[in-house]
Amino acid sequence: MLKSWICSLFLVAASFLADEGAQSSELAIDEVHAVRATVEGQLQAFAKGDAALAFSFAAPELQRQFQDAATFAVMVRNGYPMLVHPASVSFDRPELEDGVVIQAVRFRDAEGRYWRAFYQLQRQPDKHWRIGGCAVAADDDASMT
């Protein structure tokens, strides 16, 4: 179920980024910073090995799905090792499309391979951003900034 959910998210992100005719709008600069800070916070928590903090950046639906921080951390370490200790990270500007915010992030792992992650973020009732999902694919465009 998890793999199909991740694949679905990736397809949504890929079609979102490829659809030239879709209606999009810009996020306000403070929202751009808040979205990026959410993803950066989770990445920093993974790098420090702080599963509880990393889990706190997940949206309630993900928290219910994984039930606890330890299970979530194992899934990330096994399925997304490039997110745990990347050699470099580069953020694109987050995109808002039909009410969905996607934050694309490029990674270079310790072996020098490039990856692109598409984080789907959800604004919570308390106005904080939380990560609703992440899809990762090899990045053929190896230019990093």
Side-chain angles (χ1 to χ4, degrees):
M1 180 174 117
L2 176 61
K3 291 222 184 241
S4 65
W5 179 82
I6 292 169
C7 289
S8 296
L9 177 60
F10 182 71
L11 290 173
V12 168
S15 65
F16 163 78
L17 293 172
D19 186 2
E20 307 262 339
Q23 294 295 317
S24 65
S25 57
E26 293 280 321
L27 287 172
I29 194 68
D30 60 329
E31 295 300 324
V32 168
H33 292 300
V35 164
R36 179 176 173 156
T38 300
V39 175
E40 284 180 324
Q42 188 178 64
L43 291 172
Q44 290 169 358
F46 284 138
K48 291 190 294 186
D50 189 337
L53 182 58
F55 193 57
S56 75
F57 289 99
E61 296 81 20
L62 271 183
Q63 290 182 354
R64 279 191 292 277
Q65 181 179 356
F66 289 100
Q67 299 180 354
D68 60 61
T71 303
F72 180 70
V74 167
M75 180 277 299
V76 172
R77 278 193 310 273
N78 292 338
Y80 303 92
M82 71 290 292
L83 304 182
V84 178
H85 292 289
S88 65
V89 177
S90 174
F91 284 78
D92 292 349
R93 183 178 176 91
E95 299 285 336
L96 173 63
E97 193 76 34
D98 298 327
V100 176
V101 173
I102 302 292
Q103 172 65 70
V105 183
R106 295 177 192 213
F107 295 89
R108 185 171 51 83
D109 65 20
E111 288 78 38
R113 293 180 302 243
Y114 291 91
W115 304 89
R116 186 172 293 197
F118 298 94
Y119 288 86
Q120 185 235 4
L121 286 99
Q122 304 167 354
R123 190 172 180 106
Q124 302 303 301
D126 66 0
K127 306 297 185 205
H128 288 95
W129 290 97
R130 294 293 175 252
I131 299 167
C134 179
V136 178
D139 188 2
D140 295 332
D141 177 16
S143 62
M144 295 285 286
T145 56

